[in-house]
Amino acid sequence: MKIAILKERRAGERRVAATPDTVKRFVGLGLEVAVEAGAGLTAAVTDDAYAAAGATVLDDPRSVLSGADIVLKVQRPLQAGEGEVDELGAMKSGAVLIGSLAPYDAPDSLKAYAGAGVTAFAMELLPRITRAQSMDVLSSQSNLAGYRAVIEAAALFGRAMPMMMTAAGTVAPARVMVMGAGVAGLQAIATARRLGAVVSATDVRPATKEQVESLGASFVAVEDDEFREAETAGGYAKPMSEAYQAKQAALIAETIQKQDIVICTALIPGRPAPVLVTEEMVATMKPGSVIIDLAVERGGNCPLSRSGEVVETANGVRIAGIGDAPSRVPVDSSALYAKNLFNFLSPLVDREAGTLAIDWNDEIIRGTGLTRDGQIVHPAFAPATAAAAV
């Protein structure tokens, strides 16, 4: 079987779906690996490193995809009209596509995968079960996103982060508030604490309070009965009532006036990002304050944020919309992402038969599988009759 690794062509993407380490592991499983020339350069991986690991490096992306049984991607493939290469059109019918395919943001792409006869798996839909932890691309990438958010904030902030006592006077520590205590938020808390900031955090999920406090931050939330039931079985935040949102917004509005930096990380799968920092709240913040919005690509936790831009408000608050945070740490994010893909794919390889043995009754496969045999099969996107037939 042949695996294809392409250069990522979507704007701002600097990661790559395989590293020399995972290429070597795939070759060890008896697989052939073809890599497009230059695919890893933005992640500090040379073509020679891929070749030394056992890959065939080819200049033409169509040659890389020709006859490929498996295509590993970071972002969803380009289609006709999206760029100079129709990546999906170059895949053979029956190929298996694995990557972060953004099915909620690009639902029409599922029809295209089905029409092309491609079996597609969206790694961001991986169920949150113990067996899947080593495959969890959301966790591995969000972890680095949370780290990078604080580094970006420190670069924009006009003061130092830690307390400094000098002969010329004392520098007060920065006050940092993290909105959303998922993987990205918890790493943001830990990073800000390492830099010496005074940190607080908020989240609607009650289980996060202990995690936040264990990292040395204070927890800010309206802790009523609705708050205590505000988490799904999968560990995600539930949409909250308007009454709760009003109470929480009042508490946040009071707290946010005192902050120097706000890191926004709150996302709900399949929904627009919740607005947590309103324009009115921004207007009360101190001149020189910084907001980093990691949810900007899903609408943003602050309505003033703009993807890929730093907006400065009339009262001197800088708002950075960062949707490509993992790509700002491309070496480490690629290494972790590639390992996630290897851990997902390797159990499916039947070495004796030289094929993939995909068990569609497996919870991981059913959770990530988008298309199969020309049909959309994921229950969140498939017509009811098609989903019931799988």
Side-chain angles (χ1 to χ4, degrees):
M1 286 186 295
K2 175 182 175 181
I3 296 178
I5 309 296
L6 294 176
K7 181 190 302 182
E8 296 293 325
R9 289 177 165 79
R10 293 198 178 273
E13 186 54 70
R14 302 179 66 206
R15 293 170 293 174
V16 65
T19 61
D21 175 63
T22 59
V23 166
K24 186 175 181 180
R25 290 168 183 257
F26 283 130
V27 171
L29 292 176
L31 304 178
E32 174 189 348
V33 182
V35 178
E36 182 182 353
L41 291 181
T42 53
V45 182
T46 65
D47 294 342
D48 288 344
Y50 281 124
T56 301
V57 179
L58 302 170
D59 291 326
D60 183 6
R62 297 168 187 83
S63 298
V64 175
L65 290 168
S66 178
D69 303 285
I70 303 161
V71 180
L72 300 183
K73 289 277 295 168
V74 177
Q75 296 202 38
R76 58 191 173 86
L78 296 177
Q79 299 180 41
E82 288 191 300
E84 77 267 15
V85 181
D86 179 1
E87 296 172 339
L88 180 61
M91 296 180 196
K92 73 175 186 179
S93 179
V96 173
L97 168 66
I98 305 172
S100 296
L101 304 182
Y104 288 112
D105 297 326
D108 288 344
S109 64
L110 277 66
K111 297 177 183 177
Y113 304 150
V118 168
T119 300
F121 293 94
M123 293 297 292
E124 63 267 56
L125 300 181
L126 199 78
R128 289 193 160 178
I129 58 176
T130 301
R131 185 163 55 91
Q133 287 181 350
S134 66
M135 314 169 192
D136 190 348
V137 299
L138 285 183
S139 291
S140 71
Q141 303 305 289
S142 295
N143 197 36
L144 288 166
Y147 158 80
R148 187 67 193 193
V150 176
I151 301 303
E152 297 286 342
L156 287 173
F157 190 47
R159 290 174 34 210
M161 295 280 277
M163 174 183 283
M164 296 183 183
M165 301 183 71
T166 75
T170 299
V171 174
R175 302 185 69 87
V176 175
M177 185 171 191
V178 178
M179 312 287 283
V183 174
L186 291 173
Q187 182 56 247
I189 292 168
T191 303
R193 287 278 296 158
R194 290 188 195 104
L195 291 177
V198 175
V199 185
S200 60
T202 185
D203 197 290
V204 297
R205 296 167 298 164
T208 61
K209 178 179 180 180
E210 183 178 349
Q211 295 170 319
V212 166
E213 292 176 343
S214 71
L215 291 171
S218 57
F219 190 72
V220 180
V222 175
E223 300 184 42
D224 60 9
D225 290 340
E226 184 175 358
F227 170 79
R228 285 184 277 275
E229 300 295 329
E231 188 170 351
T232 69
Y236 294 104
K238 289 182 181 178
M240 305 298 283
S241 70
E242 290 186 6
Y244 182 88
Q245 290 181 45
K247 290 187 290 185
Q248 178 73 356
L251 177 60
I252 297 303
E254 178 186 346
T255 306
I256 213 166
Q257 299 177 43
K258 308 169 187 174
Q259 306 304 310
D260 298 302
I261 294 171
V262 177
I263 309 289
C264 299
T265 72
L267 286 169
I268 301 173
R271 296 174 178 267
V275 174
L276 302 180
V277 183
T278 65
E279 295 181 44
E280 292 76 16
M281 293 178 188
V282 174
T284 69
M285 295 180 71
K286 297 175 288 186
S289 299
V290 172
I291 298 173
I292 303 291
D293 194 343
L294 294 182
V296 66
E297 290 184 341
R298 298 299 299 274
N301 294 147
C302 177
L304 297 175
S305 61
R306 299 290 179 268
S307 184
E309 298 181 24
V310 177
V311 176
E312 185 156 354
T313 67
N315 61 319
V317 178
R318 290 181 172 182
I319 306 171
I322 299 177
D324 60 349
S327 274
R328 299 185 183 212
V329 200
V331 176
D332 289 327
S333 57
S334 294
L336 296 179
Y337 184 83
K339 194 66 174 294
N340 292 147
L341 293 189
F342 177 82
N343 290 336
F344 176 83
L345 181 57
S346 58
L348 308 181
V349 176
D350 186 333
R351 297 186 64 177
E352 293 185 4
T355 60
L356 290 180
I358 301 175
D359 179 5
W360 285 92
N361 292 316
D362 185 273
E363 184 178 1
I364 292 174
I365 298 300
R366 291 181 68 87
T368 55
L370 296 176
T371 58
R372 173 192 180 194
D373 298 331
Q375 301 291 325
I376 299 172
V377 297
H378 194 283
F381 306 98
T385 52
V390 176

